[in-house]
Structure formats: C-alpha cells, structure tokens
Amino acid sequence: MNSITLIVLLLCLFAISIVVGEVKITGTVSVTVTVPGRRKRRTAEHVFDVVMFMVNQKTGSRFRLNPCDYALYDQDDDLTITPKDFDIIFSDMDKTKHVLVEQLFRELDMDNDQKISLTEFEKRRGIVFSKKTCVIDQ
C-alpha cells in the first residue's frame, strides 16, 4: 500500500469518525532478540516488533496500519516525532512495557536530540524494526 492510498484512507476514516465515533491510533511494541550464528562476534541484536491499529472508539472496529510509515507517529503534525507523540500512540499499552517504547525511541533518535526527523527514521527503520513489522498484508 503506498503512502497516497494510506493518506486517502486515513482522511476517509477521519471523516467517518466525525459522524460515527472517535478514531484513535494505538500501538504495541515487543522486542525480539536474535543471536547471529557463525560469526566471530556473537552479539545479540535487538529488533522491535511494532503493531499499530486505527480504532473506532465507538464501534470497536479496527484497521491495521503500517508502523514503518513516519506520518503515523507525528501526532501533533509538527514534522518531527517526539516522546510526546510516542506517549499518545502507545498510551493503551501496559505501563510496565513502556521501557520498550522508550528504548524504541532512543534507537530511532540517532542524534539524541529528543526528536526523530524523517531522515533519522528512514535510515534507522530497516535496522530497528523487525522484518515482519513493515508487512501489513497478513
């Protein structure tokens, strides 16, 4: 699904939400640890499994979104992703697992300025997200 299709879908769902109910984007994060085999250095690699849904709060219906799309994380439309944006998206997640959300943010924030730019996101998403995260047609 390309970005234009996703944007059109999001706009349609937003328009429907005005009439039917409130739409919210929610997500969960988990970590997969892999140990590469047959290398001189056997270091563990941490990759994040992220699942995001657009949920109609009134009907409970939901639509799976692609977590590798930068625009989904920018909740306040300031063209950067901040910890506040992550707090909004992952607010429904179990509070004991929020350390994973913080770790995900640190992994994507290359220059440690508490903001994730589009450039940082594009460079890091292939390393930080698991291979199955960006596949949504399941």
Side-chain angles (χ1 to χ4, degrees), residues 18-138:
I18 293 171
V19 177
V20 177
E22 185 177 326
V23 171
K24 180 178 182 182
I25 295 175
T26 63
T28 60
V29 179
S30 61
V31 175
T32 302
V33 180
T34 58
V35 179
R38 295 194 170 193
R39 289 192 180 175
K40 290 183 181 179
R41 285 194 230 165
R42 293 182 58 114
T43 57
E45 297 175 1
H46 297 263
V47 292
F48 293 86
D49 299 315
V50 180
V51 179
M52 295 177 76
F53 290 97
M54 178 178 290
V55 180
N56 183 312
Q57 299 290 302
K58 219 173 213 176
T59 65
S61 62
R62 63 186 196 164
F63 176 78
R64 187 165 178 183
L65 302 172
N66 183 352
C68 293
D69 186 352
Y70 179 82
L72 293 177
Y73 294 92
D74 185 16
Q75 293 291 297
D76 54 8
D77 297 324
D78 64 353
L79 303 178
T80 60
I81 302 169
T82 62
K84 181 181 173 186
D85 295 320
F86 265 43
D87 288 344
I88 293 168
I89 292 171
F90 300 108
S91 63
D92 291 343
M93 217 172 110
D94 183 5
K95 298 298 180 197
T96 61
K97 295 186 179 180
H98 269 267
V99 69
L100 296 177
V101 174
E102 293 166 4
Q103 187 178 0
L104 173 62
F105 189 89
R106 285 193 306 272
E107 290 289 329
L108 290 168
D109 185 15
M110 292 172 56
D111 58 7
N112 298 316
D113 64 350
Q114 293 296 300
K115 295 179 185 175
I116 302 169
S117 67
L118 178 58
T119 305
E120 288 174 311
F121 189 84
E122 293 291 325
K123 285 181 182 176
R124 298 288 297 161
R125 76 175 176 191
I127 300 165
V128 173
F129 293 128
S130 69
K131 301 267 187 275
K132 67 181 181 180
T133 290
C134 296
V135 179
I136 61 170
D137 298 326
Q138 296 178 351

